[in-house]
């Protein structure tokens, strides 16, 4: 009974609309009888009334009574939500004010789980009740010819406890804020489990925005316009249709008309339906679907498993604690050490997971610093930029690297781990040092007067990094075995003869995942909570690249672009890097890699530098980080590295 009584309101509305339109005979209608009480029913039968049940004045009165009933429901559910969310906010504040160190494990996590689920359900409560109230008033306008909906939304719904003063007033923002606060108290591994539990319970508070039909129609129009403007004189029909598919997919991705993974899943069936490749549609679908879950995705999956094992062993907390003891008295060196730790964890896990792990470690340190401290901002920005740089370190350290290698493998070429590391290690090391020096320079000229005065005081708190506090767990035999297995897998990735013995790096990755799951190193719940949407995003991009190449569109685009680029291989690579950096500054890194890397491979292959072009192109995708909105890999939680850092700065 806490939800809007939509069925009762609907029956009231039918009582108003049906008899008034049909006259006295409508009194025998079953719905009308159900809408009134028994006394009224027998009174009307005994009177044998003639004429319409409701005259115009009576109908207006019934409209007002119906709106009054709707507002009563709004008040009832609004007060219930207000009481619940206020109590939830108080419990979250109490939990947040307590000792949050190590809350990702043990009793702390058990306290967070029910509150997180309640926050999700309260968000769902707002969404469902607002939709029900809107729908019933809209139905009244439609059936009775009234125009109450706009007034109801503006003067009643927006003034109720269900709404907030924000750009999306009916989004359940108070409950969502509680959920975000709770998610900051747990480890990334535990966070995935909480979200998985909430989704399994039927909560919709974690779902993305619904499909935007306006942006989808714009994408369709853009695709049709591209097809109409493609002047092929009927010689390249498959390439023409593939161009429309590519424009539709890219515009859908850039405009975020739908979740990225949903758009990616459309590529294979649409390509087969449009007949953009050679062979029958069944043969095309077989090729396209095989390219969706390709061998590169097993590397990403193994990275997820390693992330879980490293998090369970508290590798991030232990490493940060060691760095604090070594460099805590030298804040500038501590910043550099944290940046290199971010690079290392990004290389081993991914540059999506690494910043989330380290930010949780740094939060207690930053909260102990003065609110006007520029050092805390520099530290978090250093972490953000270093994780971007760490995304270049290994073939599995970022989704754009995986997408780039998959585009190269479609041309039956590859880059080994040792070749990649030979270039990435010196380049990333130099990049981190340059970023560190730049941050120190900016921090020096950005000091506030209070901070400058504090720095001149001997023994100032800013002059020394506080200890890293966490609830240390014993390294059991199982954890040690899992850690050794992860290290052995990384060695196999880097040493080609070992990987070749098992059939390649993808086979080694799958073997590691199977052993970790079978031995209990990762639980089934943890496995189910992995970012499967990211795998399908990369797989959809791979299918799009296959369709573009097989349809002949890639060759046509390459011929057109080649005329505008240099004939020198080295200048060609430099020009491609500049284009990629410019594109990825304003478009998601992963999306840009999925779209641009097939063209980079084709142009590089014709110039004889395809592997170098792909390697430097992948570096360029991670280099672009001027816009914090697109310096991320588009996870369902949408936690970009720069955005997460700036959120902590605001705290």
């Amino acid at each position: 009974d806490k939800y809007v009584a939509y069925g009762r309101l609907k029956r009231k509305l039918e009582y108003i609309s049906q008899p008034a339109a049909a006259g006295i005979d409508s009194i025998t209608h079953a719905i009308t009888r159900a809408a009134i009480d028994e006394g009224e029913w027998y009174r009307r039968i005994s009177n044998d009334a003639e004429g319409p049940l409701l005259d115009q004045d009576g109908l207006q009165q019934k409209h007002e009574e119906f709106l009054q009933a709707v507002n009563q429901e709004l008040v009832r559910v609004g007060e219930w939500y207000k009481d619940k969310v206020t109590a939830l906010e108080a419990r979250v504040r109490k939990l947040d004010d307590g000792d949050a160190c190590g809350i990702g494990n043990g009793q702390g996590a058990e306290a967070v789980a029910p509150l997180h689920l309640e926050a999700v359900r309260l968000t769902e409560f707002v969404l469902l009740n607002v939709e029900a109230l809107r729908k019933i008033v809209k139905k009244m306008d439609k059936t009775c010819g009234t125009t109450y909906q706009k007034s109801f939304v503006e003067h009643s719904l927006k003034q109720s406890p269900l709404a907030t003063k924000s750009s999306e007033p009916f989004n359940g923002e108070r409950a969502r804020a509680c959920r975000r606060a709770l998610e900051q108290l747990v480890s990334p591994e535990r966070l995935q489990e909480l979200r998985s539990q909430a989704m399994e319970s039927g909560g919709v508070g974690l779902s993305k925005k619904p499909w935007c039909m306006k942006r989808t129609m714009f994408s369709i129009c853009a695709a049709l316009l591209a097809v109409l403007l493609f002047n092929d004189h009927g010689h390249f029909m498959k390439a023409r249709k593939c161009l429309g598919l590519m424009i539709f997919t890219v515009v859908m991705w850039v405009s975020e008309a739908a979740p990225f993974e949903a758009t990616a899943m459309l590529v294979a069936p649409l390509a087969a339906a449009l007949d953009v490749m050679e062979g029958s549609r069944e043969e095309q679908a077989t090729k396209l679907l095989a390219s969706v879950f390709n061998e590169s995705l097993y590397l990403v999956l193994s990275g997820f498993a390693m992330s879980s094992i490293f998090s369970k062993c508290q590798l991030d907390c232990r490493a940060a604690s060691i760095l604090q003891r070594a460099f805590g008295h030298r804040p500038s060196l501590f910043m550099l050490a944290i940046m290199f730790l971010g690079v290392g964890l990004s290389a081993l896990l991914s540059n999506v997971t690494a910043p989330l792990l380290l930010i949780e470690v740094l939060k207690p340190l930053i909260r102990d610093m003065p609110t006007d401290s520029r050092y805390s901002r520099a530290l978090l920005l250093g972490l953000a930029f270093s994780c971007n740089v760490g995304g270049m370190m290994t073939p599995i350290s970022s989704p754009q690297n995986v997408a780039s290698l998959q585009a190269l493998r479609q041309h039956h070429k590859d880059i080994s781990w040792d070749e990649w590391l030979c270039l990435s290690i010196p380049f990333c090391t130099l990049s981190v040092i340059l970023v560190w020096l730049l941050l120190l320079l900016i921090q020096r000229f950005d000091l506030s007067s209070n901070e400058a005065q504090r720095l001149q005081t001997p023994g100032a708190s800013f002059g020394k990094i506080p200890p890293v506090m966490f609830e240390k767990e014993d390294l059991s035999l199982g954890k040690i075995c899992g850690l050794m297995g992860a290290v052995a897998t990384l060695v196999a990735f880097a040493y080609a003869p070992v990987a070749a013995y098992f059939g390649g790096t993808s086979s080694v990755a799958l073997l590691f995942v199977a052993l970790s799951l079978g031995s209990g190193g990762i639980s089934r719940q943890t496995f189910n909570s992995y970012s499967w949407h990211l795998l399908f995003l990369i797989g959809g991009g791979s299918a799009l690249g296959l369709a573009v190449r097989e349809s002949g569109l890639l060759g046509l685009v390459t011929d057109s672009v080649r005329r505008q680029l240099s004939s020198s291989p080295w200048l060609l690579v430099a020009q491609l890097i500049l284009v990629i950096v410019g594109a990825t500054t304003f478009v998601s890194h992963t999306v840009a890699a999925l779209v641009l890397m097939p063209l980079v491979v084709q142009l590089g292959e014709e110039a004889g530098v395809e592997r170098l072009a792909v390697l430097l192109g992948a570096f360029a995708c991670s280099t672009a980080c001027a816009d914090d909105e697109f310096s991320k890999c588009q996870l369902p939680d949408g936690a970009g590295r720069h955005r997460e850092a700036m959120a902590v700065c605001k705290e």
Side-chain angles (χ1 to χ4, degrees), residues 173-494:
E173 183 56 35
R174 291 181 66 183
R176 288 180 186 270
C178 291
R179 175 176 62 82
R180 289 192 295 267
L182 291 167
E183 289 177 352
Q184 292 177 358
L185 300 178
V186 297
S187 64
E189 181 183 7
R190 180 59 178 160
L191 173 59
Q192 293 294 340
E193 294 180 4
L194 289 177
R195 289 178 171 173
S196 178
Q197 292 171 2
M199 295 300 290
E200 289 174 1
S201 70
V204 300
L206 297 175
S207 60
K208 284 184 173 288
K209 295 180 181 179
W211 202 299
C212 181
M213 293 307 301
K214 291 183 179 179
R215 296 179 184 179
T216 303
M217 293 305 299
F218 175 76
S219 303
I220 294 174
C221 292
L224 293 176
L225 180 62
V227 171
L228 293 175
L229 294 178
F230 186 79
N231 186 16
D232 62 346
H233 304 291
H235 299 299
F236 304 101
M237 184 57 65
K238 291 185 180 295
R240 186 178 187 181
K241 290 187 290 186
C242 189
L243 175 64
L245 174 63
M246 186 182 73
I247 295 297
F248 168 76
T249 305
V250 172
V251 175
M252 287 283 288
W253 275 337
V254 173
S255 65
E256 299 185 25
F260 283 6
E261 61 274 13
T263 303
M265 291 179 187
L266 291 175
V267 172
L270 288 180
L274 292 173
D275 191 25
V276 301
M277 297 165 56
E278 298 296 334
S280 64
R281 284 186 168 84
E282 290 79 6
E283 293 173 344
Q284 294 179 43
T286 300
K287 291 181 180 179
L288 290 165
L289 294 176
S291 68
V292 169
F293 212 90
N294 52 74
E295 60 181 14
S296 298
L297 299 191
Y298 295 107
L299 297 175
V300 180
L301 190 59
S302 68
F304 292 158
M306 291 180 192
S307 174
S308 300
I309 291 174
F310 290 154
S311 178
K312 186 179 293 186
C313 296
Q314 298 178 307
L315 186 64
D316 53 330
C317 296
R318 296 174 189 272
S321 180
I322 293 173
L323 294 178
Q324 188 277 332
R325 289 196 297 269
F327 305 107
H329 60 290
R330 299 285 300 276
S332 58
L333 292 181
F334 179 77
M335 182 196 301
L336 179 62
I338 287 294
M339 292 175 68
F340 275 115
L341 180 59
V343 172
L345 289 179
S346 297
L348 296 176
L349 309 178
S350 77
N351 67 340
V352 179
T353 304
L356 297 178
L357 290 172
L358 289 176
I359 281 177
E360 295 303 318
V361 176
L362 295 178
K363 274 183 182 178
L365 308 183
I366 293 169
R367 285 170 177 163
D368 290 340
M369 296 179 184
T371 55
D372 62 345
S373 172
R374 298 302 191 269
Y375 177 79
S376 61
R377 302 182 186 184
L379 180 62
L380 287 169
L381 286 175
L383 174 61
F385 287 120
S386 66
C387 288
N388 263 68
V389 173
M392 314 175 194
M393 185 65 79
T394 66
I396 63 169
S397 57
S398 65
Q400 53 265 27
N401 292 357
V402 178
S404 301
L405 282 179
Q406 182 58 28
L408 183 62
R409 285 167 181 163
Q410 288 183 345
H411 289 251
H412 308 290
K413 304 281 180 67
D414 203 354
I415 300 175
S416 64
W417 273 61
D418 54 346
E419 291 174 327
W420 190 293
L421 292 174
C422 284
L423 183 59
S424 65
I425 290 177
F427 180 80
C428 292
T429 302
L430 180 61
S431 299
V432 169
I433 293 175
L434 290 176
V435 171
W436 172 65
L437 293 174
L438 181 61
L439 287 173
L440 291 180
L441 181 64
I442 294 175
Q443 177 202 350
R444 180 180 180 86
F445 289 99
D446 192 38
L447 292 177
S448 63
S449 57
N450 292 335
E451 188 174 15
Q453 185 176 3
R454 283 198 307 270
L455 289 177
Q456 296 175 358
T457 304
S461 60
F462 172 70
K464 185 176 181 179
I465 304 299
V468 176
M469 304 298 295
F470 66 100
E471 187 178 334
K472 186 177 295 184
E473 294 184 349
D474 294 333
L475 286 176
S476 62
L477 180 61
K479 292 180 180 179
I480 294 175
C481 290
L483 193 58
M484 292 177 61
V487 174
T489 302
L490 291 171
V491 172
F493 286 164

Side-chain angles (χ1 to χ4, degrees), residues 81-97:
Y81 170 75
K82 180 181 178 181
D83 293 341
K84 290 292 184 180
V85 77
T86 301
L88 177 63
E89 288 172 340
R91 294 162 67 189
V92 171
R93 282 195 299 269
K94 183 178 179 181
L95 187 64
D96 193 19
D97 292 340

